[in-house]
Amino acid sequence: MICRFQPILKTLVWGTENWVLSGVKGNETKVVGGPADGRTLNELYGGEFPLLIKFIDAKQDLSIQVHPNDEIAQQRHGCKGKTEMWYMIDTAPGAHLLAGLSKEITKEDYVRLVEEGRITEVLADHKVAPGDVFFLPAGRIHAICGGCYLAEIQETSDITYRIFDYNRPGLDGKPRQLHTQEAKDVIDYKVYPSYKTEYEPRKNAGVEVAKCRYFTTDVYDLTEPVTVDLSAQASIPGSFYIVMALDGDGSVSGTPIKAGEALLAIGEQELRLEPNGHMTLLTTR
């Protein structure tokens, strides 16, 4: 079964999020067309769908934030934490983002830097271009900055600890809530040698760009059809395959798809990814 869903578009102070596949309570996407028309993603899946799939269009900088891991999120909020990844689809000249620490700091340093409005001074700043990938495990401080249009794949969770928001008001004119103290105990204070995912692009073949306990994601740059064998996973309970179109258009086993859309396949033995000339896809399982 291949299903299309009615997306949920969210307008925020910094831009928009298009939730194309969501099982988040109160924000569940529904099937459009076919035998499952009108069913929510969770109804179709038979429980809470484990991933939330978005397209994010950042016109301005997002807040500096961090997400708790599963254990802390369950203890504090009764839900999952949030590990996620970004794939840059389009970027404005000079676009950048923040991900990870550029120098070692302590919890006390963190609190002081936030109070002084200087937390960005210790964050790794990355210039970005289309095709760049960043994997963000729970606990990594990050912020998407203005001029980035990207695909985001994450655990099904809407828990965000907002650390610093540039003292700007929300859409209601009031300051947005900060979670500076809550974030202190979930931040990963280690400095890593690299935060950007390196991979070798290939034509007409899947290239793995992320793999963790929650999802495995490949990118396909297609100018000709490719068949994906799903027979090994089709018999596994709870298995699924998500296709996100990033650029161009085409079809997935005959179901049309174009840039900015996502399809969900459940129980399929194989999928034929067919571009109309050229198409870039992310696939997630």
Side-chain angles (χ1 to χ4, degrees):
M1 181 188 301
I2 300 175
C3 295
R4 184 188 310 279
F5 292 78
Q6 180 64 47
I8 299 171
L9 182 64
K10 294 179 175 286
T11 300
L12 301 163
V13 66
W14 46 261
T16 60
E17 288 189 346
N18 193 14
W19 292 23
V20 290
L21 279 175
S22 170
V24 175
K25 187 175 181 181
N27 288 277
E28 296 181 44
T29 50
K30 295 182 179 180
V31 178
V32 177
D37 183 60
R39 295 178 69 183
T40 68
L41 176 58
N42 290 344
E43 289 171 343
L44 182 73
Y45 186 67
E48 184 183 75
F49 193 72
L51 299 180
L52 171 58
I53 309 298
K54 306 174 183 177
F55 290 97
I56 295 177
D57 190 0
K59 302 299 186 184
Q60 300 178 36
D61 295 354
L62 276 69
S63 60
I64 310 298
Q65 55 190 245
V66 71
H67 308 299
N69 61 26
D70 288 353
E71 182 181 7
I72 293 175
Q74 185 62 45
Q75 291 173 353
R76 295 182 179 179
H77 312 285
C79 67
K80 294 177 183 175
K82 190 191 293 188
T83 286
E84 59 190 339
M85 68 157 284
W86 298 331
Y87 181 99
M88 297 294 134
I89 301 172
D90 194 18
T91 56
H96 69 115
L97 58 79
L98 305 173
L101 291 170
S102 60
K103 62 179 292 186
E104 288 189 18
I105 60 172
T106 64
K107 291 183 180 181
E108 292 71 28
D109 292 332
Y110 155 77
V111 172
R112 175 177 53 80
L113 288 165
V114 171
E115 289 176 347
E116 295 173 356
R118 298 171 48 228
I119 189 64
T120 58
E121 294 179 9
V122 297
L123 301 182
D125 195 319
H126 311 267
K127 292 182 179 180
V128 290
D132 286 352
V133 173
F134 289 83
F135 178 71
L136 300 153
R140 180 164 295 170
I141 299 180
H142 60 272
I144 301 169
C145 298
C148 294
Y149 176 59
L150 58 98
E152 180 176 274
I153 298 162
Q154 60 158 93
E155 291 180 76
T156 293
S157 173
D158 202 25
I159 295 298
T160 294
Y161 290 162
R162 193 177 295 120
I163 294 170
F164 182 68
D165 198 34
Y166 313 101
N167 303 311
R168 64 186 169 188
L171 293 176
D172 60 1
K174 301 176 182 178
R176 296 205 294 170
Q177 183 180 2
L178 299 181
H179 312 89
T180 306
Q181 289 300 318
E182 294 94 328
K184 182 173 67 173
D185 296 324
V186 307
I187 293 170
D188 180 358
Y189 290 95
K190 295 179 184 176
V191 175
Y192 294 87
S194 177
Y195 296 100
K196 177 182 170 183
T197 299
E198 300 296 336
Y199 68 98
E200 190 67 36
R202 284 185 292 166
K203 288 285 187 183
N204 303 312
V207 179
E208 186 176 283
V209 292
K211 185 178 180 65
C212 65
R213 59 182 291 193
Y214 307 109
F215 53 83
T216 299
T217 300
D218 297 337
V219 61
Y220 285 83
D221 184 8
L222 300 178
T223 56
E224 59 186 52
V226 169
T227 298
V228 182
D229 182 4
L230 300 179
S231 58
Q233 76 169 67
S235 61
I236 301 174
S239 66
F240 56 84
Y241 198 79
I242 297 166
V243 181
M244 301 177 75
L246 311 180
D247 182 52
D249 66 283
S251 62
V252 177
S253 295
T255 300
I257 189 171
K258 64 179 185 294
E261 294 182 342
L263 298 172
L264 173 67
I266 296 178
E268 296 291 316
Q269 295 291 318
E270 67 175 29
L271 290 178
R272 183 173 173 82
L273 311 177
E274 189 162 3
N276 288 332
H278 176 264
M279 179 169 61
T280 306
L281 303 172
L282 280 187
T283 64
T284 298
R285 59 193 187 277

